[in-house]
Amino acid sequence: MPSKLPRNPRMSGDKAPQNALSTASPPSVVPHSWLDLSPDAFIGVDAGGRITSWSEGARALFGMPANQASGMELAALQPGQHPSLVALCLRPSSKAPARHYCQTFAGHKITVSARAEQVADGAVMLCLHQSGLSKKAQSALAEREAHLEMVMATVPDAMIEIDPKGTIQAFSAAAQRQFGYSAAEVVGKNVSMLMPEPYHAQHDQYLANYLLTGQARIIGIGRVVVGLKRDGSTFPMELTVGEVRTNERHFFIGFSRDITERQETRNRLQELQAELIHMSRFTALGEMASVLAHELNQPLAAVANYLKGGQKFLSGGKADALPMVSEALTRAMEQTLRAGEIIKNLRAFVARHETAKRAEPVVDLIEEASALALVGARSQNVHVSFDLAAALPDVMVDHVQVQQVLLNLIRNAMDAMQQSPERRLVIAARAVETDKVEISVSDTGSGIDAQVMQHLFQPFFTTKPEGMGVGLSISRTIIEAHGGRISAAAVATGGSVFRFTLPAAPRARRHVP
Ligand code: ADP
């Protein structure tokens, strides 16, 4: 709940309260708290344009408690570059109150008429009256504002209200904490300012598309997406958007939850990684070697026996030996094929061929994997951006596996950037070779020297003290099992880039961003 307004808001310096509006001169002896009885908003402003007192009416009108308003720039109560109330304070007038456009704490636009009275030393008392409303409507509105203020101030999720053009109408206290902007900085601006590229550039089109076709990507669905803070850093958030249509208004409210540190996300991440670890354990050298030795020993021993037998027949020099040699070679060949089959099965197991592949939108795969990989990235101050080509075809993949690959590449990139002064991660996707999509993850990290490059995808190759060295080899198995290729290269400006391809889904359909 918002903190209660002090009963007696005073001018700065805690001087004796003056009420210059009731009588211009000499200073009134009317107690300041009387001003609180008026539904009009009384706002004291010092010579520097800062708010020094704030009546109950002001609290109700703007939905902001006195302790928050006190010390604020008067200009913050109005949208735009040329706040008319500031101009009025410079030339105070109690006559012919003009209309002024203001915005409430929650970002709603209101129209007020205003009078200003010089108090002392350039300080001014403003009296604002909400225009065009009956007393009843005014108090109903004040009640609604107070209610909204309470909701906006207390809901733990960030609440952002936008109009159908994407213009921010309201920005809750939690949203201000989450994104690092004050309401005054964002209200009236396009909500895309809270998204990294390519969503930043695509959002207007997406909204227009939704209004035209009703085809929703997030509205009414809820997704894990990437948010952009004022300082340029990115963070994973769970976004749910609701739509409200009334006779007078049409707007969207987004609830966003920062899941950087969220336990559930960690669990989800752990789930994904558990698969990797499961495979890592399975492929742990000793286990793998004993399984392989056991499975392959039999056919290899048989091959050796058949070949030995064949050789014996030949060295005996008998004329009827040829059919028997031929028989031994046939058997040896069969056993060689069996050995090959075992290796193939093993690869199939590691790649989990049995899991279903489906047509998946590339953007969704990247978005979710990167949001998950960003968990815990806040402390590392990594700036993530996306460079996704328009109208990418869907890809035919097992999405859990491909997310593992992406997670692995992103995590490796973050590891590689730990000592870098500049930590930029770019995830890009483009169509290649008519029926493939190439996804790349590039970083500004340590780069890969030529020697390391040779062993990169080998199992158990690692340069990290705690590394297992299986991430890239499993990634390669997964990508190759999807019919794609994975490669790494050094970036000329420092850092490295990992690229992999995936097959486009048949009858590729255009994906709406
Ligand atoms: P691990 O991360 O456990 O070491 P990986 O198979 O994922 O196992 O990676 C193998 C090695 O490849 C790493 O130890 C590191 O030396 C190198 N490597 C992977 N990604 C990068 C990168 N983005 N930049 C520099 N080196 C990398």
PDB file of all heavy atoms in Angstrom, residues 332-367:
ATOM      1  N   ALA A 332      33.528 -63.054 -42.260  1.00  0.00           N
ATOM      2  CA  ALA A 332      34.293 -61.919 -41.703  1.00  0.00           C
ATOM      3  C   ALA A 332      33.594 -60.609 -42.051  1.00  0.00           C
ATOM      4  O   ALA A 332      33.465 -59.700 -41.213  1.00  0.00           O
ATOM      5  CB  ALA A 332      35.716 -61.924 -42.244  1.00  0.00           C
ATOM      6  N   MET A 333      33.088 -60.536 -43.281  1.00  0.00           N
ATOM      7  CA  MET A 333      32.409 -59.317 -43.722  1.00  0.00           C
ATOM      8  C   MET A 333      31.145 -59.074 -42.878  1.00  0.00           C
ATOM      9  O   MET A 333      30.868 -57.953 -42.448  1.00  0.00           O
ATOM     10  CB  MET A 333      32.052 -59.445 -45.191  1.00  0.00           C
ATOM     11  CG  MET A 333      31.743 -58.121 -45.848  1.00  0.00           C
ATOM     12  SD  MET A 333      31.648 -58.341 -47.613  1.00  0.00           S
ATOM     13  CE  MET A 333      30.188 -59.345 -47.765  1.00  0.00           C
ATOM     14  N   GLU A 334      30.410 -60.169 -42.647  1.00  0.00           N
ATOM     15  CA  GLU A 334      29.193 -60.051 -41.843  1.00  0.00           C
ATOM     16  C   GLU A 334      29.499 -59.482 -40.452  1.00  0.00           C
ATOM     17  O   GLU A 334      28.775 -58.635 -39.935  1.00  0.00           O
ATOM     18  CB  GLU A 334      28.537 -61.431 -41.657  1.00  0.00           C
ATOM     19  CG  GLU A 334      27.668 -61.838 -42.826  1.00  0.00           C
ATOM     20  CD  GLU A 334      27.265 -63.318 -42.730  1.00  0.00           C
ATOM     21  OE1 GLU A 334      27.441 -63.934 -41.643  1.00  0.00           O
ATOM     22  OE2 GLU A 334      26.797 -63.837 -43.735  1.00  0.00           O
ATOM     23  N   GLN A 335      30.581 -60.003 -39.892  1.00  0.00           N
ATOM     24  CA  GLN A 335      30.943 -59.549 -38.543  1.00  0.00           C
ATOM     25  C   GLN A 335      31.394 -58.092 -38.556  1.00  0.00           C
ATOM     26  O   GLN A 335      31.147 -57.348 -37.612  1.00  0.00           O
ATOM     27  CB  GLN A 335      32.050 -60.458 -37.961  1.00  0.00           C
ATOM     28  CG  GLN A 335      31.585 -61.868 -37.633  1.00  0.00           C
ATOM     29  CD  GLN A 335      30.435 -61.876 -36.630  1.00  0.00           C
ATOM     30  OE1 GLN A 335      30.427 -61.140 -35.660  1.00  0.00           O
ATOM     31  NE2 GLN A 335      29.435 -62.722 -36.883  1.00  0.00           N
ATOM     32  N   THR A 336      32.058 -57.712 -39.636  1.00  0.00           N
ATOM     33  CA  THR A 336      32.478 -56.304 -39.731  1.00  0.00           C
ATOM     34  C   THR A 336      31.241 -55.409 -39.778  1.00  0.00           C
ATOM     35  O   THR A 336      31.176 -54.363 -39.126  1.00  0.00           O
ATOM     36  CB  THR A 336      33.290 -56.072 -41.035  1.00  0.00           C
ATOM     37  OG1 THR A 336      34.128 -57.186 -41.237  1.00  0.00           O
ATOM     38  CG2 THR A 336      34.095 -54.806 -40.979  1.00  0.00           C
ATOM     39  N   LEU A 337      30.229 -55.873 -40.553  1.00  0.00           N
ATOM     40  CA  LEU A 337      28.986 -55.083 -40.634  1.00  0.00           C
ATOM     41  C   LEU A 337      28.321 -54.998 -39.267  1.00  0.00           C
ATOM     42  O   LEU A 337      27.758 -53.975 -38.888  1.00  0.00           O
ATOM     43  CB  LEU A 337      28.028 -55.698 -41.664  1.00  0.00           C
ATOM     44  CG  LEU A 337      28.482 -55.577 -43.128  1.00  0.00           C
ATOM     45  CD1 LEU A 337      27.493 -56.267 -44.063  1.00  0.00           C
ATOM     46  CD2 LEU A 337      28.625 -54.097 -43.520  1.00  0.00           C
ATOM     47  N   ARG A 338      28.398 -56.106 -38.520  1.00  0.00           N
ATOM     48  CA  ARG A 338      27.790 -56.115 -37.176  1.00  0.00           C
ATOM     49  C   ARG A 338      28.482 -55.074 -36.280  1.00  0.00           C
ATOM     50  O   ARG A 338      27.820 -54.336 -35.538  1.00  0.00           O
ATOM     51  CB  ARG A 338      27.910 -57.517 -36.567  1.00  0.00           C
ATOM     52  CG  ARG A 338      26.902 -57.734 -35.470  1.00  0.00           C
ATOM     53  CD  ARG A 338      27.033 -59.099 -34.840  1.00  0.00           C
ATOM     54  NE  ARG A 338      27.003 -58.947 -33.404  1.00  0.00           N
ATOM     55  CZ  ARG A 338      27.528 -59.775 -32.541  1.00  0.00           C
ATOM     56  NH1 ARG A 338      28.156 -60.860 -32.980  1.00  0.00           N
ATOM     57  NH2 ARG A 338      27.432 -59.567 -31.259  1.00  0.00           N
ATOM     58  N   ALA A 339      29.805 -55.062 -36.386  1.00  0.00           N
ATOM     59  CA  ALA A 339      30.547 -54.072 -35.578  1.00  0.00           C
ATOM     60  C   ALA A 339      30.110 -52.653 -35.967  1.00  0.00           C
ATOM     61  O   ALA A 339      29.900 -51.788 -35.105  1.00  0.00           O
ATOM     62  CB  ALA A 339      32.049 -54.245 -35.787  1.00  0.00           C
ATOM     63  N   GLY A 340      29.969 -52.458 -37.271  1.00  0.00           N
ATOM     64  CA  GLY A 340      29.525 -51.146 -37.773  1.00  0.00           C
ATOM     65  C   GLY A 340      28.152 -50.790 -37.225  1.00  0.00           C
ATOM     66  O   GLY A 340      27.885 -49.643 -36.841  1.00  0.00           O
ATOM     67  N   GLU A 341      27.282 -51.824 -37.170  1.00  0.00           N
ATOM     68  CA  GLU A 341      25.912 -51.634 -36.675  1.00  0.00           C
ATOM     69  C   GLU A 341      25.927 -51.178 -35.215  1.00  0.00           C
ATOM     70  O   GLU A 341      25.140 -50.312 -34.805  1.00  0.00           O
ATOM     71  CB  GLU A 341      25.164 -52.968 -36.831  1.00  0.00           C
ATOM     72  CG  GLU A 341      23.663 -52.849 -36.913  1.00  0.00           C
ATOM     73  CD  GLU A 341      23.194 -51.966 -38.057  1.00  0.00           C
ATOM     74  OE1 GLU A 341      23.818 -51.959 -39.144  1.00  0.00           O
ATOM     75  OE2 GLU A 341      22.215 -51.255 -37.831  1.00  0.00           O
ATOM     76  N   ILE A 342      26.814 -51.802 -34.442  1.00  0.00           N
ATOM     77  CA  ILE A 342      26.899 -51.440 -33.007  1.00  0.00           C
ATOM     78  C   ILE A 342      27.267 -49.969 -32.863  1.00  0.00           C
ATOM     79  O   ILE A 342      26.677 -49.231 -32.079  1.00  0.00           O
ATOM     80  CB  ILE A 342      27.941 -52.341 -32.286  1.00  0.00           C
ATOM     81  CG1 ILE A 342      27.386 -53.761 -32.193  1.00  0.00           C
ATOM     82  CG2 ILE A 342      28.273 -51.794 -30.903  1.00  0.00           C
ATOM     83  CD1 ILE A 342      28.394 -54.799 -31.776  1.00  0.00           C
ATOM     84  N   ILE A 343      28.235 -49.557 -33.671  1.00  0.00           N
ATOM     85  CA  ILE A 343      28.659 -48.144 -33.592  1.00  0.00           C
ATOM     86  C   ILE A 343      27.514 -47.226 -34.015  1.00  0.00           C
ATOM     87  O   ILE A 343      27.252 -46.196 -33.382  1.00  0.00           O
ATOM     88  CB  ILE A 343      29.914 -47.921 -34.469  1.00  0.00           C
ATOM     89  CG1 ILE A 343      31.087 -48.674 -33.840  1.00  0.00           C
ATOM     90  CG2 ILE A 343      30.238 -46.440 -34.587  1.00  0.00           C
ATOM     91  CD1 ILE A 343      32.330 -48.721 -34.663  1.00  0.00           C
ATOM     92  N   LYS A 344      26.782 -47.655 -35.048  1.00  0.00           N
ATOM     93  CA  LYS A 344      25.665 -46.838 -35.531  1.00  0.00           C
ATOM     94  C   LYS A 344      24.579 -46.702 -34.449  1.00  0.00           C
ATOM     95  O   LYS A 344      24.053 -45.621 -34.192  1.00  0.00           O
ATOM     96  CB  LYS A 344      25.054 -47.482 -36.786  1.00  0.00           C
ATOM     97  CG  LYS A 344      24.674 -46.460 -37.834  1.00  0.00           C
ATOM     98  CD  LYS A 344      24.532 -47.078 -39.184  1.00  0.00           C
ATOM     99  CE  LYS A 344      23.084 -47.333 -39.519  1.00  0.00           C
ATOM    100  NZ  LYS A 344      22.908 -48.116 -40.722  1.00  0.00           N
ATOM    101  N   ASN A 345      24.289 -47.841 -33.800  1.00  0.00           N
ATOM    102  CA  ASN A 345      23.286 -47.818 -32.725  1.00  0.00           C
ATOM    103  C   ASN A 345      23.690 -46.886 -31.600  1.00  0.00           C
ATOM    104  O   ASN A 345      22.869 -46.200 -31.009  1.00  0.00           O
ATOM    105  CB  ASN A 345      23.079 -49.228 -32.146  1.00  0.00           C
ATOM    106  CG  ASN A 345      22.288 -50.080 -33.106  1.00  0.00           C
ATOM    107  OD1 ASN A 345      21.670 -49.561 -34.026  1.00  0.00           O
ATOM    108  ND2 ASN A 345      22.335 -51.397 -32.919  1.00  0.00           N
ATOM    109  N   LEU A 346      24.987 -46.941 -31.317  1.00  0.00           N
ATOM    110  CA  LEU A 346      25.504 -46.125 -30.230  1.00  0.00           C
ATOM    111  C   LEU A 346      25.306 -44.640 -30.554  1.00  0.00           C
ATOM    112  O   LEU A 346      24.837 -43.860 -29.730  1.00  0.00           O
ATOM    113  CB  LEU A 346      26.997 -46.424 -30.068  1.00  0.00           C
ATOM    114  CG  LEU A 346      27.595 -45.954 -28.767  1.00  0.00           C
ATOM    115  CD1 LEU A 346      27.099 -46.816 -27.625  1.00  0.00           C
ATOM    116  CD2 LEU A 346      29.109 -46.012 -28.848  1.00  0.00           C
ATOM    117  N   ARG A 347      25.629 -44.300 -31.796  1.00  0.00           N
ATOM    118  CA  ARG A 347      25.436 -42.907 -32.227  1.00  0.00           C
ATOM    119  C   ARG A 347      23.963 -42.531 -32.164  1.00  0.00           C
ATOM    120  O   ARG A 347      23.605 -41.438 -31.727  1.00  0.00           O
ATOM    121  CB  ARG A 347      25.949 -42.708 -33.652  1.00  0.00           C
ATOM    122  CG  ARG A 347      27.441 -42.559 -33.729  1.00  0.00           C
ATOM    123  CD  ARG A 347      27.850 -42.465 -35.177  1.00  0.00           C
ATOM    124  NE  ARG A 347      27.246 -41.281 -35.801  1.00  0.00           N
ATOM    125  CZ  ARG A 347      27.828 -40.097 -35.843  1.00  0.00           C
ATOM    126  NH1 ARG A 347      29.017 -39.944 -35.318  1.00  0.00           N
ATOM    127  NH2 ARG A 347      27.240 -39.093 -36.414  1.00  0.00           N
ATOM    128  N   ALA A 348      23.132 -43.491 -32.603  1.00  0.00           N
ATOM    129  CA  ALA A 348      21.690 -43.228 -32.602  1.00  0.00           C
ATOM    130  C   ALA A 348      21.210 -43.007 -31.174  1.00  0.00           C
ATOM    131  O   ALA A 348      20.378 -42.140 -30.909  1.00  0.00           O
ATOM    132  CB  ALA A 348      20.942 -44.392 -33.239  1.00  0.00           C
ATOM    133  N   PHE A 349      21.774 -43.771 -30.244  1.00  0.00           N
ATOM    134  CA  PHE A 349      21.360 -43.622 -28.845  1.00  0.00           C
ATOM    135  C   PHE A 349      21.755 -42.241 -28.322  1.00  0.00           C
ATOM    136  O   PHE A 349      20.978 -41.542 -27.695  1.00  0.00           O
ATOM    137  CB  PHE A 349      21.997 -44.714 -27.973  1.00  0.00           C
ATOM    138  CG  PHE A 349      21.690 -44.497 -26.520  1.00  0.00           C
ATOM    139  CD1 PHE A 349      20.464 -44.902 -26.002  1.00  0.00           C
ATOM    140  CD2 PHE A 349      22.590 -43.850 -25.685  1.00  0.00           C
ATOM    141  CE1 PHE A 349      20.163 -44.677 -24.670  1.00  0.00           C
ATOM    142  CE2 PHE A 349      22.287 -43.619 -24.358  1.00  0.00           C
ATOM    143  CZ  PHE A 349      21.076 -44.040 -23.848  1.00  0.00           C
ATOM    144  N   VAL A 350      23.000 -41.861 -28.607  1.00  0.00           N
ATOM    145  CA  VAL A 350      23.480 -40.573 -28.103  1.00  0.00           C
ATOM    146  C   VAL A 350      22.642 -39.437 -28.700  1.00  0.00           C
ATOM    147  O   VAL A 350      22.283 -38.482 -28.028  1.00  0.00           O
ATOM    148  CB  VAL A 350      24.988 -40.391 -28.423  1.00  0.00           C
ATOM    149  CG1 VAL A 350      25.455 -39.015 -27.977  1.00  0.00           C
ATOM    150  CG2 VAL A 350      25.798 -41.461 -27.712  1.00  0.00           C
ATOM    151  N   ALA A 351      22.311 -39.578 -29.966  1.00  0.00           N
ATOM    152  CA  ALA A 351      21.531 -38.529 -30.617  1.00  0.00           C
ATOM    153  C   ALA A 351      20.037 -38.682 -30.319  1.00  0.00           C
ATOM    154  O   ALA A 351      19.248 -37.832 -30.700  1.00  0.00           O
ATOM    155  CB  ALA A 351      21.765 -38.568 -32.108  1.00  0.00           C
ATOM    156  N   ARG A 352      19.678 -39.755 -29.601  1.00  0.00           N
ATOM    157  CA  ARG A 352      18.267 -39.983 -29.249  1.00  0.00           C
ATOM    158  C   ARG A 352      17.360 -39.879 -30.476  1.00  0.00           C
ATOM    159  O   ARG A 352      16.495 -39.018 -30.552  1.00  0.00           O
ATOM    160  CB  ARG A 352      17.817 -38.951 -28.210  1.00  0.00           C
ATOM    161  CG  ARG A 352      18.460 -39.124 -26.888  1.00  0.00           C
ATOM    162  CD  ARG A 352      17.629 -40.073 -26.041  1.00  0.00           C
ATOM    163  NE  ARG A 352      18.260 -40.315 -24.775  1.00  0.00           N
ATOM    164  CZ  ARG A 352      17.975 -39.649 -23.681  1.00  0.00           C
ATOM    165  NH1 ARG A 352      17.037 -38.737 -23.712  1.00  0.00           N
ATOM    166  NH2 ARG A 352      18.577 -39.909 -22.581  1.00  0.00           N
ATOM    167  N   HIS A 353      17.631 -40.732 -31.430  1.00  0.00           N
ATOM    168  CA  HIS A 353      16.885 -40.666 -32.679  1.00  0.00           C
ATOM    169  C   HIS A 353      15.384 -40.831 -32.478  1.00  0.00           C
ATOM    170  O   HIS A 353      14.592 -40.335 -33.253  1.00  0.00           O
ATOM    171  CB  HIS A 353      17.369 -41.776 -33.630  1.00  0.00           C
ATOM    172  CG  HIS A 353      18.203 -41.212 -34.716  1.00  0.00           C
ATOM    173  ND1 HIS A 353      17.781 -40.174 -35.500  1.00  0.00           N
ATOM    174  CD2 HIS A 353      19.442 -41.535 -35.144  1.00  0.00           C
ATOM    175  CE1 HIS A 353      18.722 -39.881 -36.365  1.00  0.00           C
ATOM    176  NE2 HIS A 353      19.752 -40.690 -36.168  1.00  0.00           N
ATOM    177  N   GLU A 354      15.039 -41.537 -31.383  1.00  0.00           N
ATOM    178  CA  GLU A 354      13.625 -41.864 -31.219  1.00  0.00           C
ATOM    179  C   GLU A 354      12.762 -40.644 -30.898  1.00  0.00           C
ATOM    180  O   GLU A 354      11.578 -40.667 -31.058  1.00  0.00           O
ATOM    181  CB  GLU A 354      13.436 -42.956 -30.147  1.00  0.00           C
ATOM    182  CG  GLU A 354      13.701 -42.524 -28.731  1.00  0.00           C
ATOM    183  CD  GLU A 354      15.164 -42.672 -28.341  1.00  0.00           C
ATOM    184  OE1 GLU A 354      16.031 -42.741 -29.238  1.00  0.00           O
ATOM    185  OE2 GLU A 354      15.447 -42.719 -27.151  1.00  0.00           O
ATOM    186  N   THR A 355      13.405 -39.556 -30.426  1.00  0.00           N
ATOM    187  CA  THR A 355      12.596 -38.379 -30.092  1.00  0.00           C
ATOM    188  C   THR A 355      12.063 -37.734 -31.373  1.00  0.00           C
ATOM    189  O   THR A 355      12.730 -37.715 -32.390  1.00  0.00           O
ATOM    190  CB  THR A 355      13.407 -37.329 -29.303  1.00  0.00           C
ATOM    191  OG1 THR A 355      14.573 -37.059 -30.038  1.00  0.00           O
ATOM    192  CG2 THR A 355      13.727 -37.800 -27.911  1.00  0.00           C
ATOM    193  N   ALA A 356      10.854 -37.211 -31.236  1.00  0.00           N
ATOM    194  CA  ALA A 356      10.162 -36.723 -32.436  1.00  0.00           C
ATOM    195  C   ALA A 356      10.718 -35.374 -32.889  1.00  0.00           C
ATOM    196  O   ALA A 356      10.993 -34.501 -32.071  1.00  0.00           O
ATOM    197  CB  ALA A 356       8.691 -36.588 -32.126  1.00  0.00           C
ATOM    198  N   LYS A 357      10.864 -35.247 -34.183  1.00  0.00           N
ATOM    199  CA  LYS A 357      11.255 -33.942 -34.732  1.00  0.00           C
ATOM    200  C   LYS A 357       9.988 -33.262 -35.235  1.00  0.00           C
ATOM    201  O   LYS A 357       9.125 -33.905 -35.823  1.00  0.00           O
ATOM    202  CB  LYS A 357      12.240 -34.136 -35.877  1.00  0.00           C
ATOM    203  CG  LYS A 357      13.577 -34.683 -35.400  1.00  0.00           C
ATOM    204  CD  LYS A 357      14.610 -34.601 -36.495  1.00  0.00           C
ATOM    205  CE  LYS A 357      15.938 -35.102 -35.989  1.00  0.00           C
ATOM    206  NZ  LYS A 357      16.333 -36.362 -36.562  1.00  0.00           N
ATOM    207  N   ARG A 358       9.927 -31.982 -34.980  1.00  0.00           N
ATOM    208  CA  ARG A 358       8.742 -31.228 -35.417  1.00  0.00           C
ATOM    209  C   ARG A 358       9.181 -29.933 -36.087  1.00  0.00           C
ATOM    210  O   ARG A 358      10.309 -29.474 -35.880  1.00  0.00           O
ATOM    211  CB  ARG A 358       7.894 -30.849 -34.195  1.00  0.00           C
ATOM    212  CG  ARG A 358       7.018 -31.959 -33.677  1.00  0.00           C
ATOM    213  CD  ARG A 358       5.867 -31.344 -32.879  1.00  0.00           C
ATOM    214  NE  ARG A 358       6.346 -30.266 -32.027  1.00  0.00           N
ATOM    215  CZ  ARG A 358       6.421 -30.347 -30.718  1.00  0.00           C
ATOM    216  NH1 ARG A 358       6.050 -31.440 -30.098  1.00  0.00           N
ATOM    217  NH2 ARG A 358       6.859 -29.328 -29.998  1.00  0.00           N
ATOM    218  N   ALA A 359       8.280 -29.345 -36.844  1.00  0.00           N
ATOM    219  CA  ALA A 359       8.582 -28.036 -37.433  1.00  0.00           C
ATOM    220  C   ALA A 359       8.495 -26.993 -36.323  1.00  0.00           C
ATOM    221  O   ALA A 359       7.471 -26.874 -35.660  1.00  0.00           O
ATOM    222  CB  ALA A 359       7.579 -27.723 -38.534  1.00  0.00           C
ATOM    223  N   GLU A 360       9.605 -26.298 -36.087  1.00  0.00           N
ATOM    224  CA  GLU A 360       9.635 -25.303 -35.001  1.00  0.00           C
ATOM    225  C   GLU A 360      10.066 -23.949 -35.565  1.00  0.00           C
ATOM    226  O   GLU A 360      10.999 -23.895 -36.377  1.00  0.00           O
ATOM    227  CB  GLU A 360      10.676 -25.702 -33.936  1.00  0.00           C
ATOM    228  CG  GLU A 360      10.468 -27.035 -33.295  1.00  0.00           C
ATOM    229  CD  GLU A 360       9.521 -26.982 -32.113  1.00  0.00           C
ATOM    230  OE1 GLU A 360       9.096 -25.876 -31.722  1.00  0.00           O
ATOM    231  OE2 GLU A 360       9.206 -28.068 -31.588  1.00  0.00           O
ATOM    232  N   PRO A 361       9.436 -22.859 -35.102  1.00  0.00           N
ATOM    233  CA  PRO A 361       9.907 -21.535 -35.534  1.00  0.00           C
ATOM    234  C   PRO A 361      11.294 -21.255 -34.943  1.00  0.00           C
ATOM    235  O   PRO A 361      11.502 -21.437 -33.737  1.00  0.00           O
ATOM    236  CB  PRO A 361       8.876 -20.572 -34.950  1.00  0.00           C
ATOM    237  CG  PRO A 361       7.726 -21.417 -34.522  1.00  0.00           C
ATOM    238  CD  PRO A 361       8.263 -22.782 -34.239  1.00  0.00           C
ATOM    239  N   VAL A 362      12.226 -20.846 -35.789  1.00  0.00           N
ATOM    240  CA  VAL A 362      13.602 -20.591 -35.349  1.00  0.00           C
ATOM    241  C   VAL A 362      13.638 -19.539 -34.244  1.00  0.00           C
ATOM    242  O   VAL A 362      14.363 -19.669 -33.257  1.00  0.00           O
ATOM    243  CB  VAL A 362      14.442 -20.088 -36.554  1.00  0.00           C
ATOM    244  CG1 VAL A 362      15.873 -19.820 -36.135  1.00  0.00           C
ATOM    245  CG2 VAL A 362      14.393 -21.091 -37.682  1.00  0.00           C
ATOM    246  N   VAL A 363      12.800 -18.500 -34.440  1.00  0.00           N
ATOM    247  CA  VAL A 363      12.813 -17.391 -33.473  1.00  0.00           C
ATOM    248  C   VAL A 363      12.475 -17.899 -32.072  1.00  0.00           C
ATOM    249  O   VAL A 363      13.114 -17.535 -31.089  1.00  0.00           O
ATOM    250  CB  VAL A 363      11.805 -16.301 -33.915  1.00  0.00           C
ATOM    251  CG1 VAL A 363      11.755 -15.173 -32.913  1.00  0.00           C
ATOM    252  CG2 VAL A 363      12.190 -15.771 -35.282  1.00  0.00           C
ATOM    253  N   ASP A 364      11.472 -18.795 -31.971  1.00  0.00           N
ATOM    254  CA  ASP A 364      11.073 -19.311 -30.656  1.00  0.00           C
ATOM    255  C   ASP A 364      12.207 -20.106 -30.015  1.00  0.00           C
ATOM    256  O   ASP A 364      12.475 -19.993 -28.827  1.00  0.00           O
ATOM    257  CB  ASP A 364       9.840 -20.217 -30.784  1.00  0.00           C
ATOM    258  CG  ASP A 364       8.590 -19.416 -31.130  1.00  0.00           C
ATOM    259  OD1 ASP A 364       8.746 -18.209 -31.403  1.00  0.00           O
ATOM    260  OD2 ASP A 364       7.498 -19.991 -31.140  1.00  0.00           O
ATOM    261  N   LEU A 365      12.864 -20.939 -30.836  1.00  0.00           N
ATOM    262  CA  LEU A 365      13.965 -21.757 -30.315  1.00  0.00           C
ATOM    263  C   LEU A 365      15.051 -20.868 -29.720  1.00  0.00           C
ATOM    264  O   LEU A 365      15.522 -21.088 -28.606  1.00  0.00           O
ATOM    265  CB  LEU A 365      14.603 -22.554 -31.463  1.00  0.00           C
ATOM    266  CG  LEU A 365      13.926 -23.824 -31.917  1.00  0.00           C
ATOM    267  CD1 LEU A 365      14.631 -24.348 -33.163  1.00  0.00           C
ATOM    268  CD2 LEU A 365      13.985 -24.876 -30.819  1.00  0.00           C
ATOM    269  N   ILE A 366      15.416 -19.857 -30.489  1.00  0.00           N
ATOM    270  CA  ILE A 366      16.504 -18.968 -30.077  1.00  0.00           C
ATOM    271  C   ILE A 366      16.099 -18.157 -28.857  1.00  0.00           C
ATOM    272  O   ILE A 366      16.853 -18.037 -27.891  1.00  0.00           O
ATOM    273  CB  ILE A 366      16.889 -18.037 -31.243  1.00  0.00           C
ATOM    274  CG1 ILE A 366      17.549 -18.862 -32.345  1.00  0.00           C
ATOM    275  CG2 ILE A 366      17.808 -16.918 -30.771  1.00  0.00           C
ATOM    276  CD1 ILE A 366      17.959 -18.069 -33.547  1.00  0.00           C
ATOM    277  N   GLU A 367      14.878 -17.653 -28.919  1.00  0.00           N
ATOM    278  CA  GLU A 367      14.413 -16.785 -27.838  1.00  0.00           C
ATOM    279  C   GLU A 367      14.417 -17.520 -26.503  1.00  0.00           C
ATOM    280  O   GLU A 367      14.933 -17.033 -25.503  1.00  0.00           O
ATOM    281  CB  GLU A 367      13.003 -16.335 -28.177  1.00  0.00           C
ATOM    282  CG  GLU A 367      12.643 -15.003 -27.616  1.00  0.00           C
ATOM    283  CD  GLU A 367      11.292 -14.578 -28.143  1.00  0.00           C
ATOM    284  OE1 GLU A 367      10.324 -15.384 -28.098  1.00  0.00           O
ATOM    285  OE2 GLU A 367      11.198 -13.459 -28.600  1.00  0.00           O
TER     286      GLU A 367
END
